[in-house]
Amino acid sequence: DIGRTCMIVPASLRNSELGPFARSWCIFEAVMTPPGCLSLHIGWNTWDVAHHRQIAAAIDEIDVADAQAFDRQDKENIDAMVLERYGTFAAANAETKRLVAEAFVRTTRAAFAHGASACAEGAPASRALIRGGRALHDERIVRLYEDKLAEIAR
């Protein structure tokens, strides 16, 4: 077992991939880390709701069996260990999607709360969250990821 894992996941989409979750080694590290020991951090550069809808849709496309590794033997070994732990790729997919959705919920809640309090207090940090009098954060994005997490849990 892996003791602790910290992953920084850029929330930029390329060919419907969600960053590291298209790579076998990254999935392996995430799903093999003991419960409570994974620190998954998400970063993005937009509060555009349409962009976040694309990211949420990309969570659905995470597929452990389709994840890639440069070395074929690594891929086979990782798949074998994942199957040993989860029994099926479907179970590993569900856990991976849950981990990613939870990270987005946690991160968007924290960012929204920080932005809202900074704006309310008129703090200098609020300038980064407001451009041209328009808020750059949007509570709908928080709800989007909360809904995605609930959907995965069903």
Side-chain angles (χ1 to χ4, degrees):
D1 278 343
I2 296 170
R4 291 207 172 271
T5 303
C6 177
M7 300 180 81
I8 308 298
V9 180
S12 58
L13 295 176
R14 181 178 49 87
N15 299 329
S16 299
E17 295 173 358
L18 189 60
F21 294 96
R23 297 190 300 271
S24 289
W25 275 109
C26 293
I27 289 175
F28 171 79
E29 290 172 1
V31 299
M32 298 304 279
T33 300
C37 293
L38 178 66
S39 178
L40 188 59
H41 297 275
I42 306 290
W44 62 89
N45 61 358
T46 179
W47 281 94
D48 179 68
V49 175
H51 180 80
H52 283 274
R53 282 190 186 113
Q54 289 179 309
I55 294 169
I59 293 171
D60 291 333
E61 295 176 19
I62 292 172
D63 190 337
V64 175
D66 286 343
Q68 301 297 308
F70 289 111
D71 184 281
R72 183 179 158 192
Q73 190 61 50
D74 284 350
K75 170 69 173 155
E76 291 172 5
N77 290 339
I78 290 167
D79 285 353
M81 286 186 270
V82 167
L83 287 172
E84 182 179 321
R85 182 166 195 159
Y86 290 95
T88 66
F89 283 119
N93 286 343
E95 177 64 4
T96 304
K97 292 173 185 182
R98 183 189 66 76
L99 290 170
V100 174
E102 279 181 350
F104 270 103
V105 167
R106 187 175 52 256
T107 305
T108 55
R109 280 180 183 162
F112 184 77
H114 172 76
S117 70
C119 290
E121 295 169 11
S126 68
R127 288 189 206 118
L129 298 168
I130 299 177
R131 184 176 298 143
R134 190 174 132 258
L136 299 179
H137 57 281
D138 191 321
E139 190 174 9
R140 291 177 296 170
I141 294 169
V142 177
R143 287 193 306 272
L144 173 74
Y145 291 114
E146 289 171 342
D147 291 348
K148 176 56 65 183
L149 182 58
E151 174 187 316
I152 290 166
R154 286 191 284 263

